[in-house]
Amino acid sequence: MTQRPGPTGGEHTRAVHTPPPPVFAQAPMGLPIYRTAAFAFDSAEEYEEVLAGRAPGFTYSRIDNPTAATFAGGVAWLEGAGAPGEVVGEAFASGMAAISAVMMGHLSAGDHVLCASEVYGGTWSLLSGVLSRFGVATTFADLSDPAGARAGLTDRTRLVWAETLANPSLSVADLSGLAGVAHAAGALLAVDSTFASPVICRPLEHGADLVVHSATKYLGGHSDVTGGVVVGRPDLLAPVRHMRVELGGSLAPDEAFLLHRGLATLPLRMARHSASAQALAEAMLAHPAVTAVHYPGLPGHRDHQRAMALFDSGRCGGVLSVDIAGDRAAGRAFCDRLRIGRNATSLAGTHTKVSHVASTTHRQLDDAALRAAGIGPATVRVSVGLEDVEDLIADCRQALDSLR
Ligand SMILES: *Cc1c(COP(=O)(O)O)cnc(C)c1O
């Protein structure tokens, strides 16, 4: 694109048409924030060609924005490192915008979804409370083994949905087993890999068709931005992209800048989150006020072997959950007595966060339903931050000691 000189005229015209930014053929080290809703063209013909997709370029930031596209491309690059074929990405304003675009893009009235029963609450309510109104039926089932998953299929199953690491049991999905079940039924396997990040596991390498992240969590990594991303093959991303454009949940350029910046330190952060979570899990397990610790890095976890086979360098991420002896009050007291860990929504990020599961993420469940889901009245989810692990262990110990 060439630059034309601005028009001259009165002070308002000159104020609106100050000189445009230079377009250098030189790469900036930092990612420019294209904080613009619209793009200009040199001619009406170029405008038409770009809009029609016959010429490269940007038109409108809901459709495409260079900063957002660069972030999505970065995640596709990381998720697709060992995956067969080309992998592309689409960036969204939140994880839920990404999840809803996958579902709206790939499902129609009459279709059926097979979804892991242990799934993010927003995904559960989207399927059971929203898509159900549009004629999409969902079966929530234990997908931990392929036989169980196969039993949940119907002849209308188009999508199988699982999470690499589920909350709060930290169970690990059998990705290749689920891919086999889905593909044999002519369905797609979509995986929410928010808890793992591409540093720990890349589901496309194990047969998944689409991978979704709440970028709000580890990709951003600092709890200061909301975003989402979907990656996969171009033909499978096309309907998802279409929904992003039609429903409008596109990522804003400022948020894209922060999320893209997060990618550079993702491996460093995930290594530290994982090592600290492992050490904290082992320390908590040894405390008499703790009845169980759920972390796949522990040999006693149901999915330990699967985690060691699927996850890079045996890393299991920064989230663990701990069953504290006693009732709901004991779980809350543990959270309140921490001096470093904070009662906070969300997970990932630099700061250690805790949530008492029965009164927060799973507050709709009574004690019996909690028990059925394998959750105790005093279970606490810990999202291990980047603080010194010795300090975190000491903090948890003093809070546990105070309960006895
Ligand atoms: C947070 C989260 C989401 C939703 O993401 P938002 O960015 O909050 O919309 C989806 N899946 C998982 C596993 C999450 O932790």
Side-chain angles (χ1 to χ4, degrees):
M1 191 193 286
T2 55
Q3 228 115 69
R4 53 173 92 194
T8 54
E11 71 171 339
H12 296 281
T13 301
R14 287 187 297 113
V16 172
H17 296 272
T18 54
V23 179
F24 292 118
Q26 183 186 13
M29 281 296 292
L31 174 63
I33 300 175
Y34 284 85
R35 194 203 288 235
T36 182
F39 295 82
F41 307 93
D42 286 332
S43 67
E45 190 194 345
E46 186 191 353
Y47 189 171
E48 184 192 2
E49 291 296 299
V50 175
L51 262 185
R54 289 189 294 266
F58 294 86
T59 56
Y60 186 58
S61 281
R62 171 165 50 75
I63 299 174
D64 275 310
N65 173 279
T67 315
T70 305
F71 163 64
V75 180
W77 167 257
L78 296 177
E79 284 287 356
E86 193 196 349
V87 175
V88 294
E90 293 288 335
F92 289 85
S94 70
M96 284 312 300
I99 291 168
S100 52
V102 169
M103 293 181 177
M104 302 280 286
H106 280 283
L107 298 168
S108 300
D111 288 347
H112 173 258
V113 180
L114 175 59
C115 182
S117 43
E118 199 182 19
V119 71
Y120 181 71
T123 307
W124 180 85
S125 49
L126 175 67
L127 285 165
S128 57
V130 181
L131 291 173
S132 55
R133 292 197 287 111
F134 294 85
V136 173
T138 302
T139 301
F140 295 95
D142 179 357
L143 303 186
S144 55
D145 71 275
R150 225 171 272 121
L153 294 169
T154 75
D155 56 359
R156 297 305 307 263
T157 306
R158 291 285 163 273
L159 186 66
V160 177
W161 190 277
E163 297 180 359
T164 309
L165 277 166
N167 177 43
S169 71
L170 280 304
S171 64
V172 180
D174 174 9
L175 295 176
S176 51
L178 285 177
V181 168
H183 296 159
L188 297 176
L189 173 63
V191 176
D192 180 338
S193 208
T194 299
F195 277 46
S197 93
V199 168
I200 286 177
C201 180
R202 292 159 306 283
L204 298 177
E205 292 174 9
H206 304 283
D209 299 292
L210 293 164
V211 177
V212 178
H213 288 277
S214 167
T216 314
K217 314 294 167 49
Y218 287 110
L219 300 183
H222 293 71
S223 303
D224 54 5
V225 55
T226 300
V229 64
V230 183
V231 304
R233 259 176 20 218
D235 59 319
L236 296 179
L237 253 280
V240 178
R241 170 184 168 78
H242 183 59
M243 283 302 115
R244 177 172 68 66
V245 172
E246 297 298 325
L247 299 176
S250 304
L251 182 65
D254 291 81
E255 323 300 86
F257 171 84
L258 289 171
L259 293 174
H260 178 266
R261 184 164 70 171
L263 297 182
T265 55
L266 183 63
L268 285 172
R269 288 185 285 106
M270 289 315 291
R272 185 171 172 94
H273 284 303
S274 299
S276 295
Q278 180 77 34
L280 187 64
E282 287 165 9
M284 299 264 267
L285 191 58
H287 197 284
V290 166
T291 58
V293 177
H294 307 278
Y295 187 69
L298 295 176
H301 189 277
R302 190 189 71 181
D303 293 330
H304 177 66
Q305 290 309 329
R306 188 177 285 167
M308 293 305 107
L310 269 182
F311 296 167
D312 288 6
S313 311
R315 288 179 184 140
C316 295
V319 181
L320 56 99
S321 63
V322 45
D323 296 347
I324 291 173
D327 54 8
R328 288 176 179 236
R332 290 206 195 98
F334 168 74
C335 295
D336 293 347
R337 289 175 194 174
L338 291 171
R339 293 172 189 143
I340 298 173
R342 300 275 302 275
N343 281 291
T345 53
S346 196
L347 57 106
T350 51
H351 294 52
T352 293
K353 304 184 190 85
V354 292
S355 48
H356 173 235
V357 173
S359 39
T360 59
T361 54
H362 292 65
R363 63 188 177 282
Q364 292 88 351
L365 281 61
D366 61 18
D367 278 7
L370 284 175
R371 241 189 330 275
I375 300 165
T379 299
V380 172
R381 182 182 79 188
V382 184
S383 168
V384 180
L386 298 178
E387 301 94 338
D388 290 294
V389 68
E390 299 76 16
D391 295 336
L392 295 178
I393 291 172
D395 192 29
C396 287
R397 273 210 187 109
Q398 65 78 25
L400 290 169
D401 289 345
S402 80
L403 300 176
R404 311 191 66 226

